[in-house]
Amino acid sequence: MSAMGDIFPGPLFTDLYELTMAAAFHEEGHNPPATFSLFVRPPRQGDPWGYLVAAGLEAVLDALEGFGFDDGDIAYLKATGLFETSFLDMLAGLRFSGSVDAMPEGTVCFPNEPLLEVTAPLIEAQLLETYLINTMGLATLLTTKASRCVEAAGGRVGRPLIDFSLRRTQGSAAGMAASRAAYLAGFAATSNVLAGKRYGIPLAGTMAHSFVQAFGDEAAAFEAYARTFPQRTILLIDTYDALSGARGALDLARKLRDGGRRLVGVRLD
């Protein structure tokens, strides 16, 4: 798997106060080694499913390897009028020089134990704080939720689950993160084609209600889909009426059987 979500957006993906604190540290010549420990809060106090599943590390490591301010970043910070030239010159040459200790992704863990610790000169660690919290927090939240869904469905040997979250997630990066998290937690497949390519996740998907409506006749839609995908015919049967759709699917299943093929399944949306 490659990193969660989109490519690292750059060092300006941070809260302003990370930069103002770093500027003050620089002005004072105060840049000792520091260790930042990252925790994730439990979903709610007293939760009987009180475990977490650590995730997001690969994206963090990718970001640390490529961390650096480019000319455009420095020009923007200069234009804000907030920072002295000596601080901006320091940022222009800054690279991550520290070390990381972390739980492997997919590790079951618990609140109040660190998922990740960064040890680095204080300014470096400070500037990375927002990105690390955002990335590890989201990935761990999504993977933990997906893990609970897998457990509710009987675990990895129970009913297979498929991620269809893409059109409801909060933007493209979150959509990629959700698909990766679900697969990491034990989901069997995703509808997200880019996640399939990027992360090697099996793909799943059939048709929408609009496909059935586009033909004006449910039986015609079913037959058209079966002709296009004869080895993986799965029908959405509740566009108009689920019972009527089930009867239509049964009729098609008989035709497919007579031709040496089979109806793989039906779907209720």
Side-chain angles (χ1 to χ4, degrees):
M1 286 188 182
S2 55
M4 181 200 75
D6 292 341
I7 297 170
F8 175 51
L12 297 187
F13 187 82
T14 191
D15 293 299
L16 178 61
Y17 79 165
E18 309 287 17
L19 286 159
T20 56
M21 287 188 288
F25 292 146
H26 176 74
E27 182 70 20
E28 295 297 315
H30 185 67
N31 194 27
T35 296
F36 280 46
S37 298
L38 190 153
F39 304 84
V40 177
R41 294 189 179 97
R44 60 182 183 270
Q45 295 297 326
D47 189 343
W49 297 66
Y51 70 89
L52 302 167
V53 181
L57 177 61
E58 189 170 359
V60 165
L61 296 179
D62 286 349
L64 295 182
E65 288 182 2
F67 185 81
F69 291 81
D70 62 26
D71 291 344
D73 297 332
I74 300 300
Y76 172 74
L77 292 176
K78 182 178 181 179
T80 66
L82 294 171
F83 305 106
E84 297 294 333
T85 299
S86 64
F87 175 63
L88 297 177
D89 289 344
M90 183 276 292
L91 290 184
L94 190 68
R95 298 294 183 271
F96 180 71
S97 64
S99 61
V100 177
D101 291 311
M103 295 181 180
E105 291 197 86
T107 299
V108 173
C109 53
F110 299 93
N112 304 317
E113 61 177 329
L115 309 184
L116 173 146
E117 289 187 334
V118 171
T119 299
L122 179 57
I123 289 174
E124 294 177 28
Q126 192 72 72
L127 291 175
L128 287 162
E129 180 186 36
T130 296
Y131 177 76
L132 299 188
I133 292 173
N134 176 278
T135 301
M136 294 289 290
L138 175 63
T140 298
L141 173 68
L142 292 172
T143 306
T144 299
K145 178 64 175 180
S147 176
R148 296 180 187 202
C149 292
V150 171
E151 288 303 309
R156 292 177 183 266
V157 297
R159 298 178 180 87
L161 300 181
I162 299 172
D163 160 47
F164 287 117
S165 66
L166 184 58
R167 60 179 56 195
R168 300 298 182 189
T169 50
Q170 288 72 36
S172 58
M176 296 298 290
S179 296
R180 185 180 188 274
Y183 191 56
L184 181 64
F187 275 49
T190 182
S191 68
N192 183 341
V193 178
L194 181 57
K197 174 188 176 184
R198 185 174 295 178
Y199 307 136
I201 304 173
L203 296 176
T206 56
M207 64 177 70
H209 294 117
S210 60
F211 178 85
V212 176
Q213 292 172 312
F215 285 87
D217 178 80
E218 192 171 54
F222 288 174
E223 290 173 3
Y225 194 85
R227 283 192 294 271
T228 305
F229 297 100
Q231 304 304 320
R232 46 174 300 170
T233 303
I234 301 174
L235 306 174
L236 179 61
I237 63 173
D238 63 351
T239 302
Y240 304 113
D241 176 80
L243 289 178
S244 175
R247 295 186 188 99
L250 182 59
D251 290 340
L252 180 59
R254 293 190 180 105
K255 294 179 182 178
L256 293 175
R257 182 191 59 194
D258 293 343
R261 293 179 286 148
R262 61 185 289 269
L263 177 65
V264 175
V266 299
R267 201 178 101 231
L268 293 168
D269 204 13

